[in-house]
Amino acid sequence: MMNFENLDVWKRSARLSAEIYKATASLKDFGFRDQLTRSGLSVPSNIAEGMSRDSIKEQKRFLDIAISSLSEARTQIYIGIDIGYLPKQQGHEWLVETRELSAMINSLKNKIT
């Protein structure tokens, strides 16, 4: 069992989640804000849960869920930029970060044996 708190991918995804919460706190569209913050929060949460499991199969399953949550967040970020809810610069930075995090999670999955 790996200590998730030492993983850079967990640290970065937790930081991204916090950034999303802060940046969207004043959005009046609760549905959009809630969906984006939940998908962002799901990433570090699933990494933590997966790395706390004893079974390799379960570890990989939770990492797959984290990757799926990143895809969901990325979709919402694209939409948020298009409808003017998110500043373009910040949104694009988050898009880059979600792609990098996905690659990091895939790499972690491949290292688990």
Side-chain angles (χ1 to χ4, degrees), residues 2 7-9 51 56 59-60 63 103-113:
M2 236 181 253
L7 296 172
D8 286 337
V9 68
M51 293 299 92
I56 291 172
Q59 289 176 353
K60 289 184 177 190
L63 293 177
M104 291 172 76
I105 295 170
N106 270 318
S107 178
L108 178 59
K109 269 180 55 183
N110 292 332
K111 290 179 185 173
I112 296 172
T113 55

Side-chain angles (χ1 to χ4, degrees), residues 53-64 112:
R53 300 292 175 130
D54 290 328
S55 158
I56 291 172
K57 183 178 179 182
E58 283 204 329
Q59 289 176 353
K60 289 184 177 190
R61 183 173 68 87
F62 279 96
L63 293 177
D64 281 335
I112 296 172

